[in-house]
Amino acid sequence: MINIVLPVDFGDKTEQLVDGAVKFAKQLNGRIFLIHVAPSDIGFAIGDMGYQYFPEVEANEIREELVQLNKIEQRIIAHDIDCEHLLKQGIAKDTILEYAKAKNADYIVMGSHGRSGIYDVFVGSLTKGLTKDSHVPVLVLPIHD
């Protein structure tokens, strides 16, 4: 069976990305390992007293993201595709590459929003970073309008 790692960010194009990954998995008789990487600083805020950590904010955000991840997993399973998920805090690129290695991934499926140029200079592109550093093929699906 082909192992496919599918990172999701819950953005407005996530549904389109999941649809493409499901189609790809069906063609290859693959299973999907769904991952969402939450930022490590999710419970921190800057206020009058400098940086402050709010564990309840972090816990609520993680809980909400797990609900979303579970919904995506169930949607994939409804297509008769094996799926499991992981939510982990960390640096997205490194965490995804570690997960792909741990799951013996044959592919990583990512979306491309079609941004380029100045956006990549200042923000960077997770997809670009993964294609550069991954030891397994990265399938990039166009998910822009």
Side-chain angles (χ1 to χ4, degrees):
M1 184 165 280
I2 301 296
N3 294 333
I4 301 165
V5 169
L6 176 61
V8 294
D9 64 1
F10 309 128
D12 60 343
K13 300 294 183 181
T14 297
E15 214 171 286
Q16 193 176 347
L17 175 62
V18 170
D19 289 343
V22 163
K23 184 176 180 180
F24 184 61
K26 281 188 173 196
Q27 291 172 343
L28 298 178
N29 189 29
R31 70 178 142 208
I32 294 178
F33 294 97
L34 192 59
I35 182 170
H36 172 70
V37 182
S40 297
D41 61 354
I42 206 167
F44 287 90
I46 301 174
D48 295 339
M49 302 174 84
Y51 280 102
Q52 292 182 293
Y53 175 62
F54 299 96
E56 64 279 358
V57 170
E58 181 177 70
N60 286 336
E61 185 67 28
I62 294 294
R63 202 170 14 259
E64 288 175 23
E65 290 176 348
L66 269 173
V67 167
Q68 291 180 59
L69 203 53
N70 281 319
K71 285 180 183 176
I72 295 170
E73 179 185 33
Q74 292 308 309
R75 191 168 148 228
I76 292 168
I77 290 170
H79 288 279
D80 292 325
I81 296 172
D82 287 341
C83 184
E84 64 181 64
H85 71 269
L86 174 69
L87 188 149
K88 191 168 184 179
Q89 286 181 277
I91 298 169
K93 184 183 85 170
D94 298 339
T95 304
I96 293 165
L97 290 174
E98 288 168 11
Y99 189 57
K101 185 175 181 180
K103 293 300 179 182
N104 296 313
D106 297 292
Y107 294 94
I108 298 172
V109 173
M110 294 289 298
S112 171
H113 296 279
R115 296 181 187 115
S116 62
I118 201 80
Y119 178 87
D120 283 345
V121 170
F122 289 107
V123 177
S125 168
L126 177 57
T127 301
K128 185 186 287 184
L130 285 171
T131 57
K132 180 179 173 243
D133 295 338
S134 178
H135 294 289
V136 299
V138 177
L139 175 64
V140 181
L141 301 176
I143 57 169
H144 48 84
D145 295 324

